[in-house]
Amino acid sequence: MIQIKRYNDGQDAVGEWYFELDEVGILPKNQDSLRLVLSMALRLADSLAVDGFFQFTHLRIDYWHCASADSGEYRMVDKHLDFQASELRSMLDNPAPITLVPNEENTFWFPSNAVMEGITKIALPQQELLLPQAFSVRVSFAGIFAFTLVTDCDAWLSHDLKGHEQTETMELNLPRLEKALEAATDVLGVEAYVENTEYAHMLEGSIASLHEEEGHYRIIDEPERWVLQEWES
């Protein structure tokens, strides 16, 4: 049985790999920087598609609001739009100006952060599952241009999020995750920065059950803080 962890703001994902590309960062308010962000995001998405691991389906963008186009004073607001992967590819193939902002007169919006979402292929001993929300990519380009690869799934771990051993499931899925991480590293040209989460020991190109060598595994045991979506085999 595969678990997908749901978590509130401030709580860890199961695993994260952070790739920082530019310490200064870019705010994609002109066509050159916007095309750079989208091109890099799509190249990353294509690299994660190795062996069918992750199929990028759409990009959700959150926005800064600006009082005027040149004021430089931004504030975050609850505004977001979703763009299908096919839409983004068409925009890049078209020489016309790219528009990724809400269509509102006398209002200036600039993208701040985004999440690339899609379908992840998970292998089980008797079948394969195509799961949403098991893996995603956060894109940050307001202050720092970076990608964070995020998993909320336990299919890569020797023990699931309830502490049950699942060696066979791990052996089916971990190599494919590691291959995708290697491909992402090659595309982005930088090594991932990692820190252990509440649930996993993080490596630059892999992940393991926390404290595996000591026989102790993190188990989610605070029902008021989490919800597991279980996928039956």
Side-chain angles (χ1 to χ4, degrees):
M1 183 177 293
I2 301 300
Q3 281 94 30
I4 305 295
K5 177 177 177 290
R6 300 282 183 265
Y7 61 99
N8 298 320
D9 291 342
Q11 288 185 263
D12 281 342
V14 172
E16 296 185 349
W17 297 264
Y18 176 78
F19 296 84
E20 185 174 304
L21 303 185
D22 191 324
E23 293 183 357
V24 177
I26 53 177
L27 190 67
K29 59 183 178 180
N30 62 64
Q31 288 297 304
D32 288 341
S33 60
L34 190 54
R35 284 185 177 274
L36 171 63
V37 169
L38 291 181
S39 295
M40 184 65 76
L42 289 175
R43 286 179 59 203
L44 175 58
D46 289 341
S47 74
L48 294 172
V50 60
D51 292 339
F53 173 75
F54 177 74
Q55 179 185 347
F56 169 50
T57 57
H58 64 280
L59 179 74
R60 174 191 169 107
I61 301 180
D62 295 318
Y63 291 89
W64 294 98
H65 175 260
C66 187
S68 69
D70 301 314
S71 71
E73 297 180 1
Y74 306 100
R75 64 184 180 89
M76 192 65 181
V77 295
D78 185 18
K79 174 73 74 175
H80 65 268
L81 292 176
D82 286 337
F83 296 88
Q84 298 301 308
S86 57
E87 290 182 79
L88 299 178
R89 296 186 190 278
S90 295
M91 289 179 188
L92 287 175
D93 290 339
N94 192 328
I98 296 175
T99 302
L100 290 181
V101 295
N103 184 18
E104 299 178 11
E105 293 186 4
N106 302 317
T107 304
F108 301 92
W109 301 96
F110 297 115
S112 61
N113 299 289
V115 178
M116 302 169 64
E117 298 183 340
I119 304 297
T120 306
K121 182 189 291 186
I122 302 294
L124 296 175
Q126 302 299 326
Q127 68 178 111
E128 287 187 341
L129 301 175
L130 299 177
L131 303 186
Q133 302 171 324
F135 193 89
S136 62
V137 180
R138 298 175 191 155
V139 188
S140 174
F141 33 70
I144 295 177
F145 182 27
F147 293 95
T148 305
L149 278 55
V150 180
T151 181
D152 289 311
C153 182
D154 61 8
W156 345 102
L157 303 178
S158 64
H159 286 63
D160 68 19
L161 294 178
K162 291 186 175 180
H164 304 135
E165 186 175 354
Q166 54 173 18
T167 302
E168 189 174 5
T169 297
M170 178 198 71
E171 291 175 346
L172 289 170
N173 292 287
L174 182 58
R176 297 170 56 252
L177 170 65
E178 292 175 338
K179 189 173 182 179
L181 291 172
E182 181 180 4
T185 300
D186 289 344
V187 165
L188 298 177
V190 295
E191 295 292 331
Y193 172 79
V194 295
E195 289 185 350
N196 288 350
T197 68
E198 290 185 66
Y199 310 96
H201 176 63
M202 300 300 302
L203 303 169
E204 288 182 358
S206 190
I207 187 172
S209 289
L210 197 59
H211 306 310
E212 184 172 6
E213 67 282 1
E214 302 169 7
H216 172 71
Y217 307 95
R218 165 68 179 176
I219 300 173
I220 298 181
D221 56 3
E222 301 178 43
E224 70 277 7
R225 293 179 58 205
W226 61 268
V227 176
L228 288 179
Q229 181 171 342
E230 298 183 342
W231 300 84
E232 295 283 358
S233 60

